Amino acid sequence: MLENKSIGLVLSGGGVRGMAHIGLIKAMREHHLEAKVVAGTSVGALVGALYANDNSVEEMLTFFKETPLFQYSFFAIKKPGFIDTERYFDIFKEFFPENSFKSLERPLFVVATDLLKGNEKVFYDGELIKPLLASAALPPVFSPVEIDNVLYADGGIMNNFPKEYVDHLTDFIIGSNVSITAPLEKKDLRNSFQLTARVTSLMIHASNNEKLHQCDLFIEPKELDSIGVLDKKGIENAFNIGYEHGSRALEQLL
């Protein structure tokens, strides 16, 4: 069914749950499928960059396992946010030593949010690492990233599922959404933080749900809801869930 078709891969944001993207990529490779073009937001941009860089599944998992989320020396000083996002630059440089979109094996579109103008920005050429850091800079945990005198933050604020950037370049689109909005109980909305998180999740879901269902094949594993967005203990679990859902979806398709 997919012979002679060019595949576009779209990866959503969603923190640690994004390890499910890597599980899907493993399933794709086992079925001898490779994407021609990749688009991603936040953790989806990071996984997409590693995939576009032709890293193995094991190397992708190592990147996330060894990159610290909270490190005392990374705490922000005189910057908005608890963690100074740009302190991760050297860690990223180990995986992307040439620091350029041009060095990747396939085209990559990375979405970030321009905090000054209030719109989305897509990066696809030039310097690679800062756009990746910006796309994943979730407020208020991570500080915005400055690029050309503009402050950028998490791309999921404006566009958590950037399918439109691969639409005109491919004829078969595979999507992976890890921003799950499972039903809650009243007891789960007892404070302002929980309420804010829920409202943000619903807004993101509403703006991206239609695009997700326009994909030719997609996974949206509901089991990911039990994994915390910043809980590194959930890396293997999220990966396995993505692999299982990806394998099942591809087997049904092929």
Side-chain angles (χ1 to χ4, degrees):
M1 180 178 179
L2 294 181
E3 292 180 6
N4 302 318
K5 285 188 179 290
S6 59
I7 298 173
L9 181 63
V10 185
L11 307 174
S12 78
V16 170
R17 297 171 182 176
M19 300 307 96
H21 298 326
I22 304 177
L24 171 62
I25 290 169
K26 178 181 179 181
M28 288 173 59
R29 286 178 169 169
E30 288 182 351
H31 286 81
H32 308 291
L33 298 175
E34 295 287 352
K36 174 188 174 184
V37 184
V38 190
T41 293
S42 197
V43 69
L46 302 185
V47 174
L50 292 166
Y51 176 67
N53 196 45
D54 246 3
N55 287 98
S56 68
V57 165
E58 291 73 23
E59 288 169 336
M60 295 182 200
L61 289 172
T62 296
F63 173 85
F64 289 100
K65 288 177 179 178
E66 295 186 355
T67 300
L69 279 178
F70 302 104
Q71 186 164 309
Y72 182 76
S73 60
F74 284 9
F75 283 0
I77 300 174
K78 296 182 180 179
K79 281 188 176 183
F82 301 116
I83 305 295
D84 185 349
T85 307
E86 296 189 45
R87 296 295 298 275
Y88 288 89
F89 187 93
D90 290 341
I91 296 174
F92 280 47
K93 193 78 184 294
E94 293 177 16
F95 282 80
F96 307 104
E98 294 185 48
N99 187 23
S100 71
F101 280 87
K102 188 177 180 179
S103 69
L104 301 175
E105 297 296 322
R106 48 180 63 84
L108 171 69
F109 294 89
V110 171
V111 174
T113 297
D114 181 337
L115 291 175
L116 305 184
K117 292 183 179 178
N119 54 27
E120 72 180 80
K121 166 75 174 179
V122 61
F123 296 91
Y124 53 88
D125 61 6
E127 182 182 0
L128 173 65
I129 294 176
K130 277 199 170 184
L132 291 178
L133 291 172
S135 183
L138 177 67
V141 179
F142 298 99
S143 67
V145 175
E146 184 173 336
I147 303 174
D148 297 329
N149 295 316
V150 178
L151 292 178
Y152 293 98
D154 196 295
I157 298 168
M158 301 299 295
N159 187 353
N160 201 49
F161 193 75
K163 171 180 172 288
E164 54 270 44
Y165 296 108
V166 304
D167 277 339
H168 61 293
L169 298 174
T170 59
D171 45 34
F172 191 94
I173 297 178
I174 297 176
S176 177
N177 179 44
V178 297
S179 294
I180 308 303
T181 54
L184 295 181
E185 301 289 337
K186 283 196 294 184
K187 63 180 177 61
D188 297 318
L189 293 174
R190 289 186 292 192
N191 58 53
S192 298
F193 178 79
Q194 291 173 329
L195 178 62
T196 301
R198 180 60 171 175
V199 170
T200 301
S201 175
L202 291 174
M203 290 170 62
I204 290 173
H205 175 77
S207 64
N208 295 299
N209 191 47
E210 182 177 349
K211 287 194 290 182
L212 180 68
H213 287 83
Q214 290 171 354
C215 293
D216 298 288
L217 181 147
F218 72 89
I219 66 168
E220 190 179 35
K222 302 301 181 185
E223 299 94 320
L224 293 172
D225 184 59
S226 63
I227 299 173
V229 172
L230 297 176
D231 182 10
K232 289 187 69 174
K233 294 179 181 178
I235 286 178
E236 286 289 344
N237 190 21
F239 167 73
N240 290 328
I241 290 171
Y243 174 67
E244 291 167 7
H245 278 257
S247 297
R248 194 179 311 129
L250 289 169
E251 286 164 8
Q252 291 175 353
L253 177 71
L254 301 173

